[in-house]
Amino acid sequence: MELYLVRHGQTESSRENRFTGTSDPPLTAVGEAMAVAIASTYSGLKWEAIYVSPRLRALQTAEPLSRRSGIAVTVEDGLAEIAYGDWEGLKLDEARERWPEAFAYWAADVASRGTSGGETAFAVAARAMRVVEQIRTRHAEGNVLVVSHKATLRIITCALLGLDVRLFRERLAQPVAAVTKFDLTPKTAQLTLYCDRSHLSPELRDAEGT
């Protein structure tokens, strides 16, 4: 089975690089164009299923490909973005200034320590990988799409590669509208494409934000 992992398109929050977990901004016009570009490039594949985070930005990103392929999306709560608690909507420097001690505590171990009132990366790994394993069981072969979020996809990638989840922020990039692909068997996961954005025009690739 070929598992395609896609981060949603641009939002105002991703453009400004703000902590965005449980908050639910829509795609910008640029983000909508990114979603159309994904659909234009990948609608020629035969899709077995499309799994999506419940957040609006993920649903909007999946919608053009879902419509073109005729495959209805399956919403999975386990694919939602990591919750940032009190830091929702803040930039990194704003959180550091407002809660310097809590920020330093979190930054020292971003996997096992959540933000103030937020979720740990290990908790995200547990719920997200449960979904991945369910997908693996349901689809022995074919193409399966997952549309999710920056932190969640980095955590899934670490888990599939056998990397320490503590490295998810430090070692892995995950730009908006990027496509990562794994070839999965019941027991193995081979990375065959990482953060590809060749489906985007130069203007969309150079759009502001992360």
Side-chain angles (χ1 to χ4, degrees):
M1 184 257 286
E2 294 186 323
L3 180 68
Y4 291 78
L5 305 176
V6 177
R7 186 184 172 198
H8 62 78
Q10 186 200 69
T11 67
E12 286 296 338
S13 293
S14 72
R15 188 178 66 80
E16 297 177 356
N17 199 18
R18 295 182 179 275
F19 286 108
T20 310
T22 56
S23 49
D24 208 12
L27 296 181
T28 61
V30 168
E32 291 174 349
M34 289 175 169
V36 170
I38 292 168
S40 297
T41 300
Y42 288 98
S43 60
L45 294 179
K46 183 179 184 300
W47 293 98
E48 297 298 319
I50 300 173
Y51 292 88
V52 185
S53 155
R55 300 290 173 248
L56 177 60
R57 55 196 183 274
L59 290 163
Q60 288 179 319
T61 300
E63 193 277 331
L65 183 56
S66 171
R67 178 166 27 87
R68 291 195 189 195
S69 65
I71 302 294
V73 302
T74 300
V75 176
E76 291 283 357
D77 291 343
L79 297 175
E81 179 62 304
I82 190 170
Y84 289 110
D86 296 337
W87 299 8
E88 285 283 338
L90 298 180
K91 294 182 179 180
L92 199 72
D93 289 344
E94 292 172 342
R96 184 188 289 113
E97 288 180 15
R98 193 173 300 187
W99 292 286
E101 291 183 4
F103 187 94
Y105 178 79
W106 167 76
D109 185 353
V110 296
S112 63
R113 300 171 183 177
T115 58
S116 303
E119 196 175 14
T120 69
F122 285 137
V124 175
R127 62 170 166 80
M129 289 309 296
R130 189 176 301 117
V131 175
V132 172
E133 291 308 314
Q134 289 171 348
I135 292 171
R136 211 174 202 162
T137 300
R138 294 169 188 163
H139 308 283
E141 57 185 29
N143 301 307
V144 175
L145 182 73
V146 165
V147 182
S148 186
H149 306 270
K150 186 177 184 178
T152 303
L153 291 176
R154 289 190 289 182
I155 290 166
I156 290 173
T157 300
C158 279
L160 287 174
L161 290 175
L163 299 177
D164 188 340
V165 172
R166 290 181 178 86
L167 302 176
F168 83 97
R169 287 180 67 90
E170 177 184 341
R171 300 291 179 86
L172 298 179
Q174 189 63 63
V176 288
V179 178
T180 293
K181 183 166 77 75
F182 281 90
D183 287 353
L184 297 186
T185 72
K187 294 185 178 180
T188 65
Q190 184 177 62
L191 181 66
T192 58
L193 186 70
Y194 183 69
C195 282
D196 179 59
R197 303 216 303 165
S198 61
H199 50 279
L200 301 179
S201 68
E203 293 78 15
L204 291 177
R205 285 199 300 272
D206 293 339
E208 185 180 7
T210 63

